Amino acid sequence: MVDNQIDLRWWLLSNLASIPSLSIIYRISVIFTFIILIFLAFSPLIFPRTPTSKLQNFLSSNLIFIISLVTFILAARWPGFLSPMLDPDEGLFIAGAIKLLKDPVFWRAVDAGSSGPLNVYPLTLPAFFGFRIEYASSRVIGLIMIIAAIVCLYYALSTLYDKTLSRLAIVPLVTTVALMKESGYVHYTSEHFSIAILSVALLIVCKYHAGNSSNPNRLIFALGFIIGLTPFSKMQSVPIAFSIACIFLHILWLKSSARGKFIRSLAAFFLGGILFSALVVLYLIIFSIYDAFWTSYIQQNLLIYSSNGLGGNLTQVTFLAKINIFLDMLVRVQDTQMLFLLTAIALIVGIPFLIIKRFSLSPHQEKPNTFCFVYYSLVILAASSYSVIRPGNSFPHYLLFLIIPSGFLLGVFLGELAKVLQVSKFTRSHLKFSLLTGVIFLTVASSFLQFTITIISDNFYLDNRRRFAKNYLSPIAKTILNYASPGESMAVWGSAPQLYVDTGLIQATRAGVMGSWKYFPLQQYFFKQYADDLINSNAKLFVDAVAPRMIGFKDRETQGHEVFPEIARVIKENYRLVDEVQGVRIYGSSELTL
């Protein structure tokens, strides 16, 4: 408990660590919720909806189906809330959110590297509901975002196709998300917010195409506004947003019956698109942080995405090498293998079959007016793949950008297959039915296979709950709390943002992670900013976390703060060494009373 806030992770650990049969209870709950999900996915086929049957209407309800998929995902994913920091980015975002509660001006108080403010501000929400900002509460926020993306995908597919097929089409995606155990997928990542808003944009595109709006210009404006948010969440998502924007403009052109109507709709779209950027410009002017925004965010992103930005070591990597890294991730990361395998089958076999069958239809036969979404789904998947490939890093969480496009392509494939077979004369009706049934069986069977493999294996997070509870605070965090209390300020040198989260101390500098960016062209800018922030903050503690057992920076001889004159001078003049734990040095300000 910190300032009477509920620590969700500690609450779970303290209440669950001693339950001996928890693993069995967990498996039973996951199996039970999975069975309910599958039953409701098939219920429209088993119980065709009629106006007089309350049971059939209940089983066909969208709300009931959504509740079942949310329950299944939560039942399977909650053990991931138990672990400490899984990735430095996660700690960086959480530490930034804690700082924003004290100073809410992003780029003046917080610099999250290549991530924008929209990735960090949502993590402050738990504090307004009485919860401490920490790993569990942040992972809940991330899970809510990805569930929202799945729900948007379901409604997008339901807008285009039969609801029964839409339910069956998203089962592999729901199963994949629910059973994710890879640490890169479990922690709160910079992709979560982008996935959510891009899925909302995709839903709006589908609704506009279907004509399900009494005020289309309002819908168009909302779409532009949502797409305009993406540069301020993660620049890596911009190619995906651009692909959705191009798809919408193509639909807009096809559906506009008059030039004046098209121009008005286009104006609404672009006004919505530039609105948030205009607000950001105004924000930068009001708080005089334009220079920090331009250098820390724009220039840093341009440098990272122009080469391989791993660890600030901007070495040039060929695009072919980046593709090889991407393909290796697709094969290596087990949690998403089945979903991406289904997507590959649809790409290699299914989509060409659809295109051939579509063009083989005779001119007088009715052709599906949604067939353009076959090409649209390919464009979105290609843009998403480019977003993953471009940085050249082998971070598994990048693959999160592919899960919604993969689910969308599978849904479009299944929906268009049903439509093409319905009007096709190439085979008899029972063979058409067999083909469609076979595709559905393959789709759902893959989910059963993935479910079986996952449920019989151990859950790392659940099995280590006692160790997590016992080591809830590290020796380093405990020692730091001997010299400062939660809510006071501290600066950390190195890659140890978990020290802010674990102790509840507020980062004194904009950069939550700082170290020896040897080849980083902006090194001097960031060092000066760090030193100035440290002086202006009057931070009570300075911690040099360059140590053998820490993440990233380990060699004190080449990466310690004293190696860099501008940092060493500030520490020497304002701080003194008060303790050392596991190679981590703790410095107190000159006013600190021991």
Side-chain angles (χ1 to χ4, degrees), residues 23-228:
S23 295
I24 297 174
I25 297 172
Y26 168 73
R27 284 186 169 89
I28 292 173
S29 66
V30 175
I31 292 171
F32 180 70
T33 53
F34 179 70
I35 291 173
I36 292 176
L37 173 71
I38 297 299
F39 174 74
L40 289 174
F42 278 98
S43 62
L45 286 175
I46 302 171
F47 308 103
R49 187 173 182 177
T50 61
T52 58
S53 174
K54 292 183 178 180
L55 176 61
Q56 292 167 351
N57 292 336
F58 175 81
L59 294 176
S60 300
S61 167
N62 282 332
L63 178 61
I64 298 303
F65 178 68
I66 290 169
I67 290 174
S68 72
L69 74 85
V70 171
T71 304
F72 171 52
I73 292 173
L74 290 177
R77 287 286 296 269
W78 69 261
F81 302 158
L82 304 177
S83 70
M85 189 182 77
L86 295 171
D87 187 276
D89 283 351
E90 179 182 45
L92 179 68
F93 299 147
I94 298 172
I98 295 171
K99 176 73 173 292
L100 288 173
L101 289 177
K102 182 178 180 181
D103 182 354
V105 181
F106 204 88
W107 292 305
R108 183 182 73 186
V110 174
D111 175 8
S114 62
S115 280
L118 297 181
N119 279 341
V120 183
Y121 277 117
L123 298 186
T124 63
L125 291 175
F128 297 99
F129 295 93
F131 288 89
R132 183 182 170 223
I133 303 175
E134 40 79 40
Y135 307 112
S137 65
S138 299
R139 290 167 196 165
V140 169
I141 297 294
L143 200 55
I144 290 173
M145 290 177 180
I146 203 167
I147 289 173
I150 293 173
V151 172
C152 287
L153 175 63
Y154 170 66
Y155 277 109
L157 293 173
S158 298
T159 301
L160 301 174
Y161 307 108
D162 178 74
K163 180 167 60 176
T164 302
L165 292 178
S166 301
R167 289 189 177 193
L168 295 172
I170 70 165
V171 166
L173 174 60
V174 173
T175 306
T176 298
V177 170
L179 302 179
M180 284 176 170
K181 294 190 291 186
E182 158 70 41
S183 63
Y185 292 153
V186 171
H187 76 267
Y188 178 81
T189 74
S190 55
E191 290 77 25
H192 279 118
F193 185 84
S194 297
I195 291 170
I197 60 174
L198 289 171
S199 299
V200 174
L202 183 60
L203 172 60
I204 293 176
V205 168
C206 294
K207 281 190 171 295
Y208 181 80
H209 178 272
N212 295 345
S213 175
S214 58
N215 192 334
N217 279 344
R218 186 179 297 175
L219 200 66
I220 292 169
F221 181 85
L223 175 63
F225 181 77
I226 290 169
I227 289 177

